[in-house]
Every structure is written in structure tokens, then in C-alpha cells.
Amino acid sequence: MNAPDPVALGVRAEAMIAELGAISAEPGRLVRLFLTPEHRRAADLVARWMRTAGLSVSEDALGTVRGRFGSAKRRLLIGSHIDTVIDAGKYDGPLGVIAGILAAEHFARAKAELPFGIDVLAFGDEEGSRFPATLTSSSACAGAFESEALATADAQGVTLAEALRIYGKNPDDIAAAAYQPEDAAGYIEVHIEQGPVLEAKGEPLGIVTGIVGQIRLRVTVTGEAGHAGTVPMNLRHDAYTGAAEMALALERIAREHPDDGMVGTVGWIEAKPAAVNIIPGRVLFTVDLRALTDALRLEATERFAAEAARVAKARGLTVAIEPFHEIATAHCAPALQEALAASVTELGHTPIRLPSGAGHDAQVMVRLCPSAMLFVRCRGGISHNPAEFASVADMGLAVAALIRFIEKFQLG
Ligand SMILES: [Zn+2]
């Protein structure tokens, strides 16, 4: 087989990203949500690319497009997603699908005889932009689909089950979409970094060590509303200043572990009754806390709860904390990380090891089989934004590294 030319691969990847990026629900900005007419058009385009690449194409009960090379029972899975956030960039998701197609095509064109087959997977629901549930398509492949998700509804009140039927799918077929663990030899996902680390290190490619676990909390602080002019400062029970002190405590806790992927964010806050001349009597805010190990995340969550209780007591407030979303840390398989790193080194670059602070389909696929991710440098670390950009050269290197990885991949 000829060694692939990274530049030529990068040029093709860029053209395909542009073509997919033009499929949007809105002129002028990229919006492609799960199970919409735009999803259909994108899936059809991906299916056409797969066929042209020499893959046989099918679609599962969640709309995941599957391009299959080789007939071996054991499969190397390569995938990412083709849904987007609202006003998205073009690279987040599609790059991983396109990298998989170009890599599989390399082996299909050469009629390579591999001891395993390759399945390229184009998932339709990673971002969770339409339904409150997220990662449902990769969950179905991993055999981890939770049927409660079917009852969740979008902003128009359409449930996931109804949307699947409109898309031509039958929710009864979801169980059959799952891979048998013994058939899934590994899962690899190429994705833009969506952060600034690779750019800062001056390297095009990174090896993900793990995807940080995450907890989301809803915090309610209750004090006493009062007249902003007549209640003296020392007699106030201001729920807002209490909440502010709690947010600062979260920041302090998260800053203690910069090397463990720990980040804490208060991204949404609401003060009631929300008037310029009333002391806030009640404040609601959210906490998003992520860390590279489950133990650290749990410890930080407990410390935040203790700090919030201490602040509330000192200020004569009450505080209630309710978790509403939690996902465990996903560790990338060490052997796959090593193999990806070796491929990057062979291309003359230094593989940077880094955790992923963002969620990915790989987070679910680890429940099925050993999984790993290859990150691609993106300009300014900007993502979920139309300014998102990865260079032709960097994308080409990612596909070339993926091809080298497949050449050497061994069934465990
Ligand atoms: Zn993504």
C-alpha cells in the first residue's frame, strides 16, 4: 500500500467539511439538529461518501450511518457526530466522521486484508441540542441506551420517540443497534480539541488520556426579601450575596486541582424577586463541576456542599443542593493511547497528552470496548462558534496518523 499523503488527505477533508457545513436549517448560520430534515440530508451525503469510498452502508434505529469495510466478525469502530449546536462551527464532529471515511477508503481501495473489519459511524445526537437527552446514538451502539430518553421532548413538545418515527425509525429496533462487546475490538474518535492546549504547545495532534466526569447541581439559596432602602446592612439575609460567596468558594476549590482537569462554573443565576430596590430573597444557580477522576469530583462536590452550608449559616440563609446530571470519568485505553502516540511520532510530531474537558461519543463507547481519542489543534481553542477552524495540514496529519494506527492495530 502506498503511504498516504497527509496534505492530499487534508485537502479532501477540508472540501468534505465545507460540503457538510453547508447543510443547515438556517441560511447564514450552521444549525443541524438530531432527526431533522437537515440531519437526513447530512446522513445521505455521508452515506454517499461512504459508498464512494468502497464501504457498504446501513443506518440503525437511532439514525447512525454505518459504513462497513471487510467482513471479519471483530470490528474496529471509528466515529463521531454530524449534529451541531446552534450557530455551530463546521469541524466539531464532522472531522471525526470524515477522517474515518478517508482512512477506511485507504484500505478499501487497496483491497487490504485486515484481521478485523472497520465500521465508520456517523452519530446524530452528541450535542443534545434538540432533546434534553444526549449521546443517545452512541449509547444505542454501546448497548447503553436508556429508554427514558424516548419520552423527553424538544422545545415544540415532540418526543424523541415521535421524532424517530417521523424520521422513519422504529424505537422497538433500538436494542438491535447494539454491538456485541465481543465484536467491538476498539473505538477511535478524531475530534478538534475545542481548547487551546495544542496551539499553546505548537503541536498539531494530541492523545486524550480521559474525558472528565461531570456533575451538575441546582442550588437554591433562600434568605429574606426586604426594602433596599430601609433594612440596615447588618440585619439583611441577602440570598444573592450568599450565592456570590458560594460561587467564589466553588472557584477556590476548583483552582486547587489545575492538573486534574478540574473546572467549576456557575453558568446560570437568577435572583428573585429581581427588582432594583428589593434585597433578593431567593437565588437559584447552577454548578457545573468536572474533574479527571470520579474520586476528585465527588470530593470537590462534597466540599462545595459543606462550604455552601457554612456560608448559609453565617449569613442566616438556607441552601438546598440538588444534582440533576452526572456522568462518570471515561478513561481512554492505555494501549490505544500508546498506539496513537506512536503513529503521531512516526509522522515527525510530538503527541501531547491531555484530558478532554468536553463530552464526546467516546465517553459512552468506553462502556462497550477499549476507546481512545485523537485531538486536532484548533485555532484559538475556539469551538461551538462559527469561527471554529482547523488547518488542512493538521487535519491531513490526523487522517495519516489514523491510517498508521489501523495498519498496526492488533486484536486484543
Ligand atoms: Zn463534538
Side-chain angles (χ1 to χ4, degrees), residues 286-297:
T286 56
V287 167
D288 177 314
L289 182 69
R290 308 182 191 208
L292 198 47
T293 72
D294 293 330
L296 265 176
R297 186 184 73 251

Side-chain angles (χ1 to χ4, degrees), residues 238-321:
D238 183 334
Y240 185 84
T241 50
E245 200 177 336
M246 292 172 199
L248 290 172
L250 176 73
E251 184 185 56
R252 202 168 54 242
I253 292 164
R255 278 188 174 169
E256 285 172 20
H257 296 276
D259 298 329
D260 301 309
M262 193 184 285
V263 284
T265 307
V266 173
W268 179 88
I269 188 160
E270 188 177 83
K272 289 181 175 178
V276 67
N277 57 355
I278 303 176
I279 301 160
R282 212 153 89 98
V283 167
L284 303 136
F285 68 94
T286 56
V287 167
D288 177 314
L289 182 69
R290 308 182 191 208
L292 198 47
T293 72
D294 293 330
L296 265 176
R297 186 184 73 251
L298 292 173
E299 187 209 301
T301 307
E302 281 169 15
R303 279 184 57 202
F304 170 73
E307 278 295 294
R310 185 190 60 75
V311 169
K313 187 156 181 260
R315 291 173 168 272
L317 309 167
T318 60
V319 62
I321 299 177

Side-chain angles (χ1 to χ4, degrees), residues 80-81 92-93 126-127 189 191 194 359-360 384:
S80 198
H81 60 97
D92 172 3
E126 193 274 341
E127 301 289 3
E189 182 165 354
H191 204 285
Q194 303 181 280
H360 294 290
H384 286 188

